[in-house]
Amino acid sequence: MKETVDDFADFFRARRDLAYRTVFVAIGDRAGAEDAVAEAFARAYQHWASVRAHPHPTAWVIRTALNVSRSWWRRRRKEFLTAEGPEPGAAPDVDVLDDALAAAVMTLSRRQREVVALRILADMDADETGRLLGITPATVHVHLHRALAALRGALGEQAAISMEARR
């Protein structure tokens, strides 16, 4: 049992920042990302034997966090009919991206932010990203292409190139 706890603790320490940054960029809400990632890691701990055997346990945690976030958003949307997502252009306050790039990323659609977060920040390939989001790899490529084109338009060619270089 102690070995399992230590194994999970090592995984948690090594992957929590990546999971948080990825979910934060995807959903654009600092507190929501923290809550969703915490819930995802709690679920991973409960099912550690199967999560550890998963081909990409970090992807499992990120997908779970994104699903948790969507579920919370659906509940909140029902409770507050006038509530909306993060304001477009609201710059996230985390050291994931520089301010201008972060603000531009927040103007992207939710799906484009998710693809950018998973493909660029989490360094997942199109197949993994597609499996996580429930879309085909070709759709992942389309969303990434459109997101990078939008970022180029918003920030100029150099910023989009630096974003693409993170891949």
Side-chain angles (χ1 to χ4, degrees):
M1 179 68 168
K2 172 123 171 71
E3 193 174 293
T4 302
V5 171
D6 290 342
D7 187 34
F8 178 80
D10 291 341
F11 170 73
F12 175 77
R13 279 190 295 277
R15 298 300 183 188
R16 72 175 166 217
D17 291 340
L18 172 64
Y20 169 74
R21 284 191 309 266
T22 303
V23 173
F24 175 73
V25 169
I27 69 171
D29 175 25
R30 182 183 195 114
E34 288 172 356
D35 291 344
V37 169
E39 176 67 22
F41 274 110
R43 291 179 186 183
Y45 181 72
Q46 288 176 329
H47 306 286
W48 184 236
S50 62
V51 172
R52 180 176 46 195
H54 190 277
H56 198 316
T58 305
W60 187 96
V61 169
I62 291 169
R63 179 181 185 138
T64 301
L66 290 172
N67 288 341
V68 164
S69 173
R70 282 188 196 112
S71 295
W72 287 345
W73 175 246
R74 285 184 193 118
R75 277 195 301 268
R76 275 185 264 152
R77 189 177 63 204
K78 288 177 185 174
E79 291 172 11
F80 304 104
L81 294 176
T82 59
E84 295 185 19
E87 270 186 49
D93 98 27
V94 70
D95 272 349
V96 176
L97 311 168
D98 68 51
D99 291 341
L101 185 55
V105 167
M106 297 316 296
T107 65
L108 300 173
S109 70
R110 178 187 53 83
R111 180 65 80 194
Q112 288 175 345
R113 284 194 317 267
E114 290 173 342
V115 167
V116 166
L118 294 171
R119 289 282 287 129
I120 295 174
L121 293 176
D123 197 29
M124 293 183 186
D125 63 25
D127 291 334
E128 284 178 300
T129 301
R131 276 193 303 276
L132 273 170
L133 297 176
I135 58 179
T136 66
T139 305
V140 169
H141 289 298
V142 169
H143 283 298
L144 184 61
H145 175 75
R146 289 180 181 166
L148 292 174
L151 292 174
R152 278 187 200 99
L155 300 169
E157 191 69 26
Q158 188 56 40
I161 290 170
S162 77
M163 183 76 162
E164 218 169 339
R166 288 177 162 236
R167 291 196 305 172

